[in-house]
């Protein structure tokens, strides 16, 4: 395994850096303040063909390797964490389709996702079933050649914005996790979006409730077999968590970049605060932890690309996601500290980095749940 980027990955990273600095980062403060979907940044990403990266070539995508996809997530998050999740969420919604759907369904949806014409959401969580997925109450009942879905999904990224929703519902509540089934549901089939959250961070990424009331879903849109939904959900999260780690690395890098340049300009006691060894050590620790997080994220991504030969993906994905997000949180808090009182104001972006970092410790499984996964691997 190589421990550095190959020439194509490095070239892509450099292009992404310029693109984010010019077309994404300048809008981040506005979208965060107004708490609206980052449309201009999304459109720019579509112009750059970024939605195609995670879609296989056979279905109109670029079929990029996972490290390239992580570079995209990291660089976007360096400029705007909400824009980064907007790119990641369609991939999360589409992973069950890519890995478990029929050819007909793949050809029907994936090319449009790749073009950015439609977006996808992933509907696993419920108000009373987050970490404990098997407690879900959303029901799917067979009716001839269709299923009728009833229930409510909570915390859904891009609720109302997305055109398709990968919904997990129970076809056999007695069987708990073995009774969950996965469906692809179009927004137009009667989904309702009654509530959106007013969030601390990631404010330009809409998060809301998705309500299903007697929504009729054709059999063709069941993904995998009845009862296979839990396995599909976990298979999907294993392959997505490293990119949440990449998003966290991007937020950490933005914090380091901003705090470092501030330290050179800010004077105290007649000299730049960058001359103070205590602060230099803080910045150095921020960079060391971020570099280690990046390496772990790449390691997990490389394992996905290699087809998980040592059956370590759950473990590595959980380790990468939890380490990178814990790093992003502590690095962003330190960046606020390095700016002193100014860091605590909205005049400077580090408070946004701190608010955005927090979600990376929570979604796609909290960092406590990641440790459950890591320990399970170690003790099996
Ligand atoms: C902004 C945002 C976007 C989201 N987007 C999506 C989305 O698009 N799709 C989707 O399906 N979900 C989404 N989620 C939901 C997210 O994945 C859940 O919030 C998360 O899994 C935690 O579930 P919970 O909130 O119910 O917390 P709970 O499960 O109630 O956890 C509460 C606390 O208990 C701890 N805990 C729970 N179980 C254990 C355990 N076994 N061991 C140790 N500690 C434990 C948790 O770590 C946490 O500290 C999103 C959430 C947010 C906030």
């Amino acid at each position: 395994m190589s421990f550095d980027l190959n020439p194509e990955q490095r070239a892509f990273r450099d292009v992404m850096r310029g693109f984010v600095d010019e077309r994404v980062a300048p809008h981040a403060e506005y979208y965060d303040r107004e708490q609206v979907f980052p449309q201009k940044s999304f459109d720019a990403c579509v112009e750059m063909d970024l939605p195609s990266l995670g879609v296989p070539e056979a279905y109109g995508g670029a079929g990029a390797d996972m490290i390239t996809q992580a570079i995209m997530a990291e660089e976007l998050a360096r400029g705007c964490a909400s824009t980064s999740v907007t790119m990641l969420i369609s991939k999360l919604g589409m992973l069950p389709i890519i890995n478990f759907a029929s050819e007909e369904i793949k050809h029907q949806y994936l090319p449009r996702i790749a073009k950015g014409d439609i977006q996808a959401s992933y509907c696993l969580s419920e108000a009373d079933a987050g970490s404990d997925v098997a407690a879900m109450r959303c029901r799917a009942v067979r009716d001839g050649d269709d299923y009728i879905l009833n229930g409510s999904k909570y915390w859904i990224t891009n609720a109302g914005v997305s055109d398709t929703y990968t919904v997990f519902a129970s076809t056999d509540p007695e069987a708990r996790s073995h009774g969950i089934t996965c469906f692809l549901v179009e927004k137009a089939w009667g989904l309702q979006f009654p509530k959106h959250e007013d969030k601390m961070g990631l404010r330009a990424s809409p998060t809301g409730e998705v309500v299903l009331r007697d929504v009729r879903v054709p059999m063709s849109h069941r993904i995998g077999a009845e009862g296979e939904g839990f396995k599909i959900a976990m298979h999907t999260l294993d392959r997505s968590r490293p990119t949440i780690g990449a998003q966290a690395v991007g937020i950490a890098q933005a914090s380091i970049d901003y705090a470092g340049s501030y330290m050179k300009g800010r004077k105290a006691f007649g000299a730049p605060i960058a001359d103070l060894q205590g602060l230099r050590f803080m910045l150095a620790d921020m960079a060391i932890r971020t570099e280690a997080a990046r390496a772990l994220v790449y390691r997990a991504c490389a394992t996905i690309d290699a087809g998980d030969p040592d059956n370590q993906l759950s473990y590595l994905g959980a380790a990468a996601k939890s380490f990178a997000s814990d790093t992003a949180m502590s690095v962003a808090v330190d960046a606020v500290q390095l700016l002193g009182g100014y860091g605590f104001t909205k005049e400077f972006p580090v408070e946004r980095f701190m608010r955005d970092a927090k979600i990376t410790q929570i979604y796609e499984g909290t960092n406590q749940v990641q440790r459950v996964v890591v320990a399970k691997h170690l003790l099996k």
Side-chain angles (χ1 to χ4, degrees), residues 122 124-125 130-131 155-157 199 207 359 363-364 366 368:
Y122 182 81
L124 181 64
S125 305
S131 306
W155 308 115
I156 304 308
T157 299
K199 305 196 298 299
T207 310
I359 188 58
Y363 61 13
E364 295 207 13
T366 66
Q368 284 74 34

Side-chain angles (χ1 to χ4, degrees), residues 112-157:
R112 288 186 285 156
I113 292 279
K115 278 197 190 136
D117 289 346
I118 60 170
Q119 296 184 65
S121 283
Y122 182 81
C123 304
L124 181 64
S125 305
E126 297 184 4
D128 294 316
S131 306
D132 182 8
V133 169
M136 74 170 54
R137 293 171 64 184
C138 187
R139 286 280 279 129
V141 176
R142 185 83 178 266
D143 181 39
D145 283 344
D146 300 330
Y147 287 86
I148 308 293
L149 268 61
N150 276 289
S152 158
K153 291 292 174 179
Y154 221 74
W155 308 115
I156 304 308
T157 299

Side-chain angles (χ1 to χ4, degrees), residues 23-42:
R23 308 224 24 213
V24 176
H27 307 303
E29 190 270 332
Y30 167 82
Y31 285 125
D32 173 71
R33 176 166 29 90
E34 298 300 323
Q35 199 169 191
V36 290
F37 182 79
Q39 191 65 50
K40 271 190 190 168
S41 306
F42 177 78

Side-chain angles (χ1 to χ4, degrees), residues 187-367:
K187 177 180 173 175
W189 296 347
L191 298 184
Q192 295 165 34
F193 311 99
K195 182 176 178 232
H196 277 84
E197 301 301 327
D198 184 1
K199 305 196 298 299
M200 170 206 292
L202 213 69
R203 286 168 58 79
S205 163
T207 310
E209 185 178 8
V210 176
V211 171
L212 303 105
R213 270 203 202 102
D214 292 329
V215 173
R216 186 169 284 275
V217 178
M219 176 80 84
S220 58
H221 285 60
R222 188 187 75 201
I223 309 302
E226 270 192 24
E228 224 186 353
F230 186 80
K231 187 186 94 184
I232 293 173
M234 297 306 129
H235 183 277
T236 298
L237 291 172
D238 282 348
R239 282 150 187 79
S240 177
R241 281 175 182 151
T243 53
I244 298 300
Q247 183 188 37
V249 169
I251 297 169
Q253 190 61 53
S255 305
I256 293 166
D257 293 347
Y258 200 90
S261 90
Y262 182 87
M263 284 166 68
K264 288 193 259 181
R266 175 73 175 169
K267 287 195 171 152
F269 303 99
I273 60 170
D275 290 351
L276 299 168
Q277 193 182 49
L279 302 193
R280 294 174 80 93
F281 281 9
M282 261 176 87
L283 191 70
D285 279 336
M286 290 157 71
I288 291 166
R289 276 178 280 151
T290 301
E291 208 56 70
R294 184 179 286 117
L296 190 49
V297 165
Y298 287 173
R299 167 91 168 87
C301 288
T303 296
I304 299 175
D305 285 334
D308 193 16
D310 299 321
N311 199 20
Q312 282 200 316
L313 181 52
S314 297
Y315 159 67
L316 284 172
K321 189 266 188 194
S322 55
F323 184 72
S325 58
D326 287 346
T327 297
M329 194 67 238
S330 74
V331 165
V333 168
D334 284 350
V336 170
Q337 190 69 18
L338 286 170
L339 266 72
Y342 293 104
F344 200 60
T345 71
K346 290 194 181 285
E347 292 290 308
F348 293 84
V350 287
E351 63 84 32
R352 170 164 53 85
F353 302 155
M354 190 178 92
R355 290 186 285 106
D356 286 347
K358 187 63 208 167
I359 188 58
T360 62
Q361 295 181 302
I362 296 172
Y363 61 13
E364 295 207 13
T366 66
N367 280 3

